[in-house]
Amino acid sequence: AQKVTQAQTEISVVEKEDVTLDCVYETRDTTYYLFWYKQPPSGELVFLIRRNSFDEQNEISGRYSWNFQKSTSSFNFTITASQVVDSAVYFCALSEPETSGSRLTFGEGTQLTVNP
Amino acid sequence: DAGITQSPRHKVTETGTPVTLRCHQTENHRYMYWYRQDPGHGLRLIHYSYGVKDTDKGEVSDGYSVSRSKTEDFLLTLESATSSQTSVYFCAISDGRINQPQHFGDGTRLSIL
């Protein structure tokens, strides 16, 4: 069975601090994808990034960066110089194979609060 | 933005009543999913559909049924609502490829008193 763990339930930082959100996953599949979604206070779910199991290159997009390490089954998300608008719940998710409908297994989410 | 509309957006009802939530898409995607979101649990899959009249159970399917008579519509029914089904329900769509993200509707907040 697949599992995604986001051990940090809540994180609170002050604006301009860097913050890392942890994601650890379990799967027996050799081909899989990992995703991060953002849920701002307005409630919608916004796709941020995907990473496949064969690509361990880190990715940077503006103030956001992602570190995928297959050896530790982790896909961590770092926000550099955080801003109040980054306040949201962030979800990490793991895909199941296409034979299972490419279903997603989500972590419990991390509530990030960025204080001015 | 992906064309996904959930209705209603909010609903309050009483225990024991039937409830149907609707998800409508304009993307012609083959796959549609229903999730529920609860504190401490993230999002959990209830049911999904991989085509018209083709559906399968997810992790938390007890007490729920689904139907898909058209590509664009996926209905979630609570036959006899219980207070434990108070939740926020999200519909998602995708083309089914493992590398494609699912895109989500805005959610339905359901309260069962």
Side-chain angles (χ1 to χ4, degrees):
Chain A
Q2 303 201 125
K3 187 177 180 182
V4 175
T5 302
Q6 295 180 253
Q8 304 150 307
T9 305
E10 296 180 19
I11 301 176
S12 182
V13 299
V14 176
E15 210 170 15
K16 298 184 184 174
E17 282 185 38
D18 299 346
V19 57
T20 295
L21 310 182
D22 297 333
C23 172
V24 174
Y25 63 93
E26 297 174 29
T27 182
R28 284 186 237 173
D29 297 320
T30 54
T31 300
Y32 53 88
Y33 276 75
L34 293 155
F35 300 84
W36 276 94
Y37 285 85
K38 175 182 180 180
Q39 186 177 43
S42 49
E44 73 273 22
L45 283 150
V46 179
F47 163 68
L48 294 177
I49 192 172
R50 66 173 161 238
R51 169 67 68 223
N52 76 55
S53 51
F54 298 105
D55 181 3
E56 291 197 63
Q57 274 194 322
N58 290 336
E59 180 151 346
I60 299 174
S61 175
R63 296 183 297 105
Y64 294 172
S65 62
W66 290 268
N67 181 289
F68 174 42
Q69 293 197 337
K70 210 165 177 178
S71 60
T72 57
S73 297
S74 65
F75 185 40
N76 297 336
F77 174 27
T78 297
I79 302 174
T80 303
S82 60
Q83 299 176 2
V84 172
V85 293
D86 296 326
S87 296
V89 181
Y90 291 87
F91 291 99
C92 180
L94 171 66
S95 66
E96 294 196 26
E98 291 180 8
T99 51
S100 299
S102 300
R103 305 183 299 181
L104 292 178
T105 299
F106 282 85
E108 305 89 338
T110 297
Q111 170 73 62
L112 173 65
T113 301
V114 182
N115 298 297
Chain B
D1 289 344
I4 310 167
T5 304
Q6 290 187 231
S7 59
R9 293 294 316 279
H10 303 271
K11 187 173 182 67
V12 180
T13 190
E14 294 184 347
T15 301
T17 60
V19 177
T20 296
L21 307 183
R22 179 180 183 240
C23 179
H24 178 80
Q25 61 146 331
T26 58
E27 306 297 317
N28 202 36
H29 279 333
R30 182 180 168 201
Y31 283 76
M32 299 183 76
Y33 310 81
W34 276 109
Y35 293 87
R36 60 178 289 175
Q37 182 181 5
D38 304 288
H41 292 279
L43 280 84
R44 292 179 292 174
L45 183 67
I46 304 171
H47 283 279
Y48 72 101
S49 169
Y50 47 96
V52 173
K53 292 187 171 40
D54 292 323
T55 64
D56 204 352
K57 295 179 180 180
E59 179 187 354
V60 289
S61 59
D62 287 348
Y64 301 95
S65 62
V66 290
S67 65
R68 191 164 177 204
S69 58
K70 299 185 289 186
T71 299
E72 57 266 34
D73 289 326
F74 191 33
L75 304 181
L76 176 71
T77 297
L78 292 64
E79 301 289 349
S80 178
T82 68
S83 58
S84 64
Q85 294 175 310
T86 292
S87 187
V88 180
Y89 291 85
F90 284 96
C91 173
I93 65 173
S94 85
D95 63 12
R97 288 178 291 167
I98 190 174
N99 64 338
Q100 293 302 307
Q102 294 180 14
H103 294 284
F104 287 80
D106 290 337
T108 293
R109 187 172 294 274
L110 177 64
S111 297
I112 300 164
L113 307 178

